[in-house]
Amino acid sequence: CPYWQEVLSVAGIDAGTARRMGRIKTRFLGTRQLYLKSKALAEGSMAPDLAEYRDTLERLYLALARVSGAEVIVDASKTPNTLALLAGMTGLRPAVLHLVRDPRAVAFSWFYNQKTRGPDAAAGLMARHNPVRSTLSWASRNRMVERLAAERGLPCLRLRYEDFARDPEAELDRIFAHLGMARPGMDGSETESHSVRGNAVRFSEAPMTIRPDERWRDEMPAMMQRLVTLSAGRSLRKYGYGAKEGG
């Protein structure tokens, strides 16, 4: 991809560096390290390899800004450890968009939906997770995002999936206000994409309709709903989801 070739060239990242960063990411930023490393990451007390990863990532972001000319870069990795790294970068001004969804819908999606990794089913399926496991991960990750944002003084806006799906225009206004930016006009013609990873729906060229997916209400077994509700604990109501009715 010529776009990414230019970005990597500006950032000074060659194939060998990229492979080394991949190994460092696996070692320090995987799910198993999530809870052990977040405090050290937030405080800046990190191993030399991880410091190199942070500095390389910062060069990548700055190169993206230069090549694209964009005011805002959206990091969609969704991991608290990456947020801790972003908070330690001197050349960036991170702002947090804390996206949450009813944990019962999350558990239902991870357990039942077979999401493809590529443009067709032959590319394989994403992992499916036990509902209790996915809910405990949901609760802990949300707590860590809030804690890291508070400890590092990062502006943080909470966005509920359900609110965005029901009124995307109003929620987009909130997001741009959070960034201190005027909302640009969008006519749906912005189709160019250089994405590397994500939901297979991004390959579709057909117009998309934004609407809430609430199949879990009718299709999720009652026992599973109760297990997820218990596993979510107080976070359920904290984010505005009733124990019985949902969002």
Side-chain angles (χ1 to χ4, degrees), residues 17 32-33 41 59 79 95 100 106 109 116 127 143 152 154 178 184 199 214 223 240:
T17 301
R32 293 182 180 179
Q33 294 84 12
L41 288 170
R59 296 206 317 270
T79 64
V100 297
V106 173
S109 178
T116 58
R143 285 195 299 268
R152 300 307 294 265
L154 301 177
H178 174 58
N199 194 292
E214 298 187 329
M223 179 58 72

Side-chain angles (χ1 to χ4, degrees), residues 8 32 95 103 115 119 121 129 201 213 229:
L8 294 175
R32 293 182 180 179
K115 308 180 185 73
H129 295 303
V201 72
D213 180 355
T229 298

Side-chain angles (χ1 to χ4, degrees), residues 17-170:
T17 301
R19 285 191 292 268
R20 188 167 68 255
M21 293 306 102
R23 291 192 294 269
I24 294 173
K25 180 180 180 181
T26 300
R27 180 181 174 191
F28 288 100
L29 299 176
T31 303
R32 293 182 180 179
Q33 294 84 12
L34 186 65
Y35 312 104
L36 301 175
K37 302 290 185 182
S38 61
K39 185 173 179 59
L41 288 170
E43 294 175 351
S45 54
M46 59 184 70
D49 282 354
L50 192 53
E52 179 190 6
Y53 182 92
R54 177 200 59 200
D55 296 341
T56 304
L57 190 61
E58 183 170 8
R59 296 206 317 270
L60 177 65
Y61 284 125
L62 294 175
L64 278 168
R66 178 177 169 183
V67 173
S68 68
E71 292 183 66
V72 176
I73 297 170
V74 180
D75 182 306
S77 57
K78 304 186 287 292
T79 64
N81 280 354
T82 302
L83 173 58
L85 286 178
L86 287 169
M89 295 179 184
T90 58
L92 304 175
R93 293 186 294 110
V96 182
L97 182 63
H98 182 196
L99 176 64
V100 297
R101 187 183 183 187
D102 191 307
R104 291 160 294 198
V106 173
F108 177 83
S109 178
W110 274 118
F111 189 75
Y112 287 106
N113 288 357
Q114 296 189 351
K115 308 180 185 73
T116 58
R117 287 198 184 104
D120 53 60
L125 301 176
M126 292 179 68
R128 297 171 66 181
H129 295 303
N130 174 282
V132 173
R133 175 186 172 187
S134 63
T135 304
L136 293 176
S137 176
W138 172 90
S140 60
R141 286 170 183 258
N142 283 326
R143 285 195 299 268
M144 291 178 69
V145 166
E146 291 184 328
R147 178 172 62 81
L148 286 168
E151 289 178 352
R152 300 307 294 265
L154 301 177
C156 184
L157 174 69
R158 183 181 302 158
L159 173 67
R160 299 199 324 163
Y161 158 88
E162 293 82 3
D163 297 334
F164 182 86
R166 290 177 183 130
D167 193 352
E169 294 293 330

Side-chain angles (χ1 to χ4, degrees), residues 176-189:
F176 281 99
H178 174 58
L179 296 172
M181 296 174 59
R183 180 179 165 186
M186 291 179 281
D187 60 8
S189 62

